[in-house]
Structures are given as C-alpha cells and as structure tokens.
Amino acid sequence: MRALWLFLLPAVVFGSPCDGLTGLTIPDTTIISATAVGAGPISLAGMRAPLTVTAFCRVLAVLRPTSDSEIHFEVWIPPADAWNGKFEGTGNGGFSSAMEYNRMAEALNRGYATAGSDTGHEGGDLKFGVGHAEKINDWAYRAVHVMTDESKLILRAYYGRFPQYSYFNGCSTGGHQALSEAQRYPDDYDGIVAGDPGNNRIHLMAGFLWAYSALYKDSASPLPAAKLPLINKAAVAACDANDGVKDGIIGDPRRCKFDPGVLLCRNGDDASCLTAPQVEAVRKIYSGPVNARTGEKIFAGFPRGSETGWPGYFVDQPSPSRNEFWKLWVFNFPDWDWRTFDFDRDLAYADKKMAAVNALDTNLAPFKAHKGKLVMYHGWADPVVPPEDGVRYYEAVQKTMGGAAKTDDFFRLFMAPGMGHCAGGVGPNSFDAVGALDQWVSKGEAPRRIVATHSTAGKVDRSRPLCPYPQEAVWKGSGSTDEAASFSCMNPGARP
C-alpha cells in the first residue's frame, strides 16, 4: 500500500470531516465529491428499490491506473462513533458496471466502511473491451485491487487510521473477483467471501455455448421453457430422498442419476414428454462440454435440479449467452457464427489469448502466509455457474496446498443444496457468510457450520446448516426436517 503521508495536501489532516476529503491527493485518483448523507431511505441510479441506511459520508472518485483506464468507485464511510473499525469491499455481477448498492448498504448498516466500483466501464455490453486491452484487465482483476488500495487511504484520512480488518464480499463475478484478489493480491484483504464464482471464465463461456448448441445447432425440436418444470419435477422425484430426507431438495446432484429418457414421448410430441432430440439435448446439458478429439471434459455440466433457471441463459434465447465474448473479445469478428465453434482448436486459442480473464491459480500460499481466511459457497442448484466447477477448484487448491488439513485452516467451501445462483431456489439460501468470516478472522473461530434459511412471502419456513465440504447436513433421525437443529454435519455416507 502506498504511504499515505506522501500524498496528502497540507490542508488535509488525519480525521478530516467528510467534505474535507475532496482535498485529498492520491496519484492516479481524482476525488469527485464527498457528501454527508443522513440516515433514512436513499435511491441511487441502478437500485431496484430505495434502501434504508444509517448516516454516512459518500465519496465518489475516479481511478486511472493506466492511460486507458477510467474506474469509478464509491466509498461509504460511517461516522467514527458508528464504525466497527473494519472495511468491506464489494464485487459486481456478470460484465455489468453496476455497483452492489444493496450489499454496500448491508455492510454500512452493520458498521463497516464499504466500497464498490464500476470495474472501469459503463453498462454490461462487452463492446467496452474492443480495442481496449487495459479495460478488459480492469474488469478482470485490476479495478477491485486499486479500489481497495485507494479506499483504505481515504479511510485513513477520514478516521486517522487504517481499518483493523478488511474483507471482500462478492458473488458470481463478485466471486470471481474474490478469488482473483486471493490469488493476485494476497495482502489486500484479511478475509474473503467468494460466492458462486465464475472464475473459470473462458470455460464458463464455452459451457453456455455448449448448452445452447445442444438445443439449437442440429435439433429439429428445440426444448421450450414450458417443459423445464416437467424435467425438474422428474429429477427431484428421482433423487430427492438420496440425502435421507424427502423435502423437495436434491442434496448433492452428483449422486443423482436421473435420465431424461424416462420422459421420452411415446405417441408424438406434447407438453407431458420430451422428443428424442430434446432428451439428447438435456443429457448433453447435464454432462457439460467435451473435447471431441481428446475426450477431455472441458467444463462441468449444469446440475440436475437447476432446470427451471435455464431460460435465463440458454433456453428460449435468440443466441448463446455471452456470445459477444467470442465475437468481440476472442475472434474480433462481429459477424462470427457460433455454429462454427470448435471445442478443441477454438477453445485452445481462447485459453491462450484471454488467460487474464480467469482466476484459476491454486497456489494460495501467499494469501495463507498473510493469515488470510477464505469462505467460498456455491448453490448446488446453480443454473448459471455449474457448482461442480467450484468443487473442482477447491479440491485443486487442496492438492496444491498439501491436503485437506493444510487447506481447511484458511479456506473452507460451503455447498448449499437447492440454492440457485447466489440466492433463490427451493433450498435454504439466506445466510451470513461475512459474519462467519469475521469470527474466523477476528476471533480465530473457524466456521464449522453456517445456518441458512429459506423464506416464503417474507416468512422463514425452513432452516438448515451449510457444512464445510465435503461434509453435508445429515438428519439426526428425529426432530423437524425444517429445523437446522435436527441436522449434523457429517462426511458423505455417514448416517446416525
């Protein structure tokens, strides 16, 4: 981190009031404004609905770490008497520039100073990267790092001291950013929450293309979204009880052997069955992309139990999801036809050309040496980032770090049965990962379970523990299966 005292104007002193932060000078950074915001509801551009917040100082700034960078970020600073002494950086979703204002408001209301960035561009269109390699790098990894550095300097100026602990909290692309921070900048954060991470970005894009191709490349009978509930119902019925509890949730879809062939139409196509091409397409979606030449599995398939989420990415869509990634970033050819994609040669080319957009380094020794703690979670019913890929990354880290014991002391994975992408789904999907991380970092209490809840119409109707992988929640044999207290965390196959 830069030495702050080298970059302060004489007029700016430690413990400056909110409006005094506009006089702060940091290389490559412009403070646009610093405004005191009163407690109550606020409505900012991009918010789905107004948020209620405690009083804070809102700092807007721009970072220019390269000649082609323009990274906008915000720092929300609670008053000194309301600050818990900690900082929480937040991530983004997809390729979008939208800041996670909801996540920032939650952090602020818990006493954290917090920050978010637009990752160096506006909107979610991938055109921002055409001819701008540095902007791609800003999105991929650099924006969060420089946002973090400069936010700490701003906090130092406001409070007269740096945060005691700094955490990062993100899901999806935010989870990707979280793992990138642990890999590339291990000293930035004391603790990191990585949710449903899209860190295997190139192969995730290939996974979307594979699923879409399975449905539309050769099929005379594309799968309509109206049939997805039929498939989901059959999959859940076949595998619901595999975890010892019949509750409408598939515990671990890797143990689910449901074959869509049981839904094959016998007397013509109708809403109650699947045609032969539809059956084969669903099988391909479950299996995931494979290199036809080598037989190598390229990426995890989408799990059984995630079917109702497929329309958002590859069912009833006019083109493959994130098709612009291939057109604009990989091939630089706006008229490129997705039907020509070669999962051998073209993927190898993309792996080499776009390697910087991934966050796949499994050597987390520098982060561990920093005494950093990492909590990763993934929904087992995620229809966007296949959960098996998250498991594979975690297991690869274990191998690199010398085994489970040498990994679990700083990095733990929590799988959430029935949870969709970052939230939602039929399973318990609301839980306090940051709270568990804080206990681990500040008090040395490693999370042995994180209680998650599910709500309907705003009322909690189910709770269950999320367990450190490979453990899973096992019903004790008595007590309500809707109560977390009725479950123990055990290794697979263990039963009371």
Side-chain angles (χ1 to χ4, degrees), residues 91-95 136-137 139-142 144 168-184 192-202 204-205 325 329 354-360 374 376-378 385 393 421-422:
N92 304 79
F95 293 85
I136 292 177
N137 290 336
W139 169 83
Y141 60 87
R142 185 165 48 216
V144 170
F168 184 83
N169 181 20
C171 193
S172 191
T173 288
H176 176 172
Q177 293 165 330
L179 293 182
S180 179
E181 279 291 299
Q183 295 165 21
R184 290 183 167 98
I192 291 174
V193 173
D196 298 67
N199 59 304
N200 195 355
R201 184 67 53 158
I202 298 170
L204 173 61
M205 300 297 100
F325 175 80
W329 287 14
M354 303 302 302
V357 307
N358 286 333
L360 298 175
L374 175 55
M376 183 168 137
Y377 64 85
H378 212 131
V385 180
Y393 175 74
H421 187 59
C422 297

Side-chain angles (χ1 to χ4, degrees), residues 60 132 173 183 200 256 277 316 330 338 379 397 451 457:
L60 277 61
H132 298 281
T173 288
Q183 295 165 21
N200 195 355
C256 180
D316 280 1
V330 177
W338 60 269
V397 171
V451 174

Side-chain angles (χ1 to χ4, degrees), residues 215-238:
L215 292 168
Y216 299 105
K217 187 174 183 179
D218 301 313
S219 177
S221 179
L223 178 68
K227 288 191 177 185
L228 295 177
L230 168 73
I231 304 170
N232 179 259
K233 182 178 179 180
V236 172

Side-chain angles (χ1 to χ4, degrees), residues 144-449:
V144 170
H145 169 60
V146 293
M147 171 202 80
T148 301
D149 247 5
E150 314 315 347
S151 293
K152 291 179 184 178
L153 294 174
I154 291 169
L155 296 179
R156 177 73 167 97
Y158 185 82
Y159 293 120
R161 61 188 176 95
F162 288 116
Q164 182 180 11
Y165 298 114
S166 295
Y167 305 142
F168 184 83
N169 181 20
C171 193
S172 191
T173 288
H176 176 172
Q177 293 165 330
L179 293 182
S180 179
E181 279 291 299
Q183 295 165 21
R184 290 183 167 98
Y185 306 106
D187 295 336
D188 277 2
Y189 289 98
D190 303 295
I192 291 174
V193 173
D196 298 67
N199 59 304
N200 195 355
R201 184 67 53 158
I202 298 170
H203 286 212
L204 173 61
M205 300 297 100
F208 290 151
L209 187 55
W210 171 273
Y212 193 84
S213 297
L215 292 168
Y216 299 105
K217 187 174 183 179
D218 301 313
S219 177
S221 179
L223 178 68
K227 288 191 177 185
L228 295 177
L230 168 73
I231 304 170
N232 179 259
K233 182 178 179 180
V236 172
C239 302
D240 184 359
N242 286 356
D243 58 4
V245 177
K246 195 168 185 179
D247 56 1
I249 299 172
I250 297 176
D252 182 342
R254 295 176 303 178
R255 295 200 292 268
C256 180
K257 305 305 179 184
F258 165 73
D259 180 10
V262 300
L263 299 173
L264 182 65
C265 296
R266 306 298 179 184
N267 298 299
D269 187 8
D270 62 50
S272 65
C273 63
L274 301 179
T275 65
Q278 290 169 353
V279 167
E280 185 57 29
V282 174
R283 285 173 177 161
K284 287 182 177 179
I285 292 170
Y286 286 153
S287 68
V290 176
N291 184 315
R293 181 180 63 84
T294 66
E296 176 190 5
K297 191 172 182 64
I298 293 169
F299 194 61
F302 290 92
R304 291 161 174 82
S306 69
E307 298 84 2
T308 55
W310 293 356
Y313 283 81
F314 46 86
V315 173
D316 280 1
Q317 296 293 318
S319 63
S321 182
R322 307 303 188 194
N323 201 29
E324 293 81 5
F325 175 80
W326 304 104
K327 286 184 173 184
L328 304 181
W329 287 14
V330 177
F331 300 120
N332 304 119
F333 183 33
D335 294 326
W336 175 78
D337 186 348
W338 60 269
R339 295 172 182 81
T340 67
F341 188 80
D342 186 319
F343 284 88
D344 180 13
R345 292 171 298 176
D346 288 342
L347 186 59
Y349 174 76
D351 284 340
K352 183 177 181 180
K353 179 180 179 181
M354 303 302 302
V357 307
N358 286 333
L360 298 175
D361 190 353
T362 57
N363 180 12
L364 300 184
F367 181 69
K368 181 176 181 177
H370 175 66
K371 300 188 185 304
K373 308 300 182 186
L374 175 55
V375 170
M376 183 168 137
Y377 64 85
H378 212 131
W380 267 129
D382 190 337
V384 181
V385 180
E388 193 172 347
D389 189 64
V391 173
R392 288 175 180 171
Y393 175 74
Y394 179 72
E395 291 176 338
V397 171
Q398 286 184 321
K399 184 176 180 180
T400 299
M401 298 301 297
K406 293 182 179 180
T407 304
D408 292 349
D409 62 354
F410 80 99
F411 180 15
R412 297 193 177 191
L413 168 64
F414 295 82
M415 301 301 295
M419 186 178 91
H421 187 59
C422 297
V426 297
N429 52 60
S430 179
F431 48 92
D432 185 8
V434 173
L437 178 72
D438 182 42
Q439 289 292 106
W440 198 2
V441 171
S442 64
K443 297 183 179 180
E445 299 175 4
R448 297 181 178 179
R449 55 190 267 158

